Amino acid sequence: MHEDSNDEGRPVEPGVSGGGADQEFLSLERELTVFLRRARASQGEMAREVHPDLESAAYGLLVRLDECGRQRATELAAYIGVGKATMSRQLRALEDLGLVAREPDPADGRAWLVHLTEEGRGRVGRVREARRARYVRQLAHWDPREVAELARLLNQLNRGMEK
């Protein structure tokens, strides 16, 4: 049995079956489980496209730096939700691959700012563009308003989980 279907192999509709008021949350859990499993697999593929030796978990760091520019390691660790030691190890690996570099923070001489190198920016940009093209192909049959609504709801979910 697939985790996204009922005993007959049909998708389970939210609110259907004898689960009571919590059924929509069970449906949400099931759909998020499937979505996250696929997202983890996709993240691993994208990481390997950036560099064959790139850890899957580090791809999110590269995307964050691509979107936000220079950041302190502590800011990155807080955003990703890992400790300083883990962040330090990941950044060292990214530096060794030539994808990021560090520079002293002009606002605080004791701190460092991390940024993408030109090589890192180019590689991440190519992978992100390919990913967007896949989304366009996969969701071509959707109304653009539905895509926008999905993005809005996912943003709302992510903001709610930060609290």
Side-chain angles (χ1 to χ4, degrees):
M1 181 168 98
H2 296 287
E3 59 191 306
D4 56 352
S5 62
N6 63 14
D7 292 339
E8 288 112 29
R10 293 189 322 265
V12 177
E13 295 296 323
V16 175
S17 85
D22 290 334
Q23 185 61 36
E24 54 273 355
F25 291 101
L26 292 172
S27 295
L28 175 63
E29 177 193 23
R30 181 182 50 258
E31 296 305 326
L32 283 175
T33 298
V34 172
F35 180 78
L36 292 171
R37 179 176 35 84
R38 290 177 179 158
R40 277 190 298 276
S42 178
Q43 183 173 346
E45 292 169 13
M46 290 181 291
R48 287 185 296 280
E49 289 174 26
V50 170
H51 193 285
D53 297 328
L54 183 64
E55 287 184 29
S56 176
Y59 180 76
L61 288 174
L62 296 175
V63 168
R64 179 70 174 179
L65 289 169
D66 188 41
E67 291 178 346
C68 298
R70 290 169 164 74
Q71 295 206 321
R72 289 183 179 186
T74 53
E75 293 170 319
L76 289 168
Y79 176 78
I80 300 293
V82 298
K84 289 183 201 177
T86 299
M87 181 55 55
S88 181
R89 181 187 60 75
Q90 287 183 343
L91 290 175
R92 219 175 5 263
L94 291 171
E95 281 183 297
D96 291 346
L97 295 175
L99 302 173
V100 303
R102 298 180 204 216
E103 64 186 43
D105 184 344
D108 182 351
R110 301 165 296 165
W112 294 86
L113 294 174
V114 181
H115 63 90
L116 290 176
T117 62
E118 285 304 314
E119 177 73 13
R121 187 174 325 288
R123 287 176 178 247
V124 170
R126 285 188 294 276
V127 171
R128 292 187 80 195
E129 184 56 39
R131 180 177 60 174
R132 277 189 295 278
R134 280 193 300 269
Y135 289 154
V136 168
R137 282 191 311 275
Q138 291 170 338
L139 301 177
H141 63 285
W142 284 39
D143 183 300
R145 291 173 297 212
E146 291 175 316
V147 176
E149 180 66 1
L150 176 60
R152 185 190 71 75
L153 290 170
L154 287 171
N155 178 269
Q156 184 177 332
L157 177 66
N158 286 328
R159 280 193 329 253
M161 290 183 159
E162 287 175 0
K163 297 175 181 177

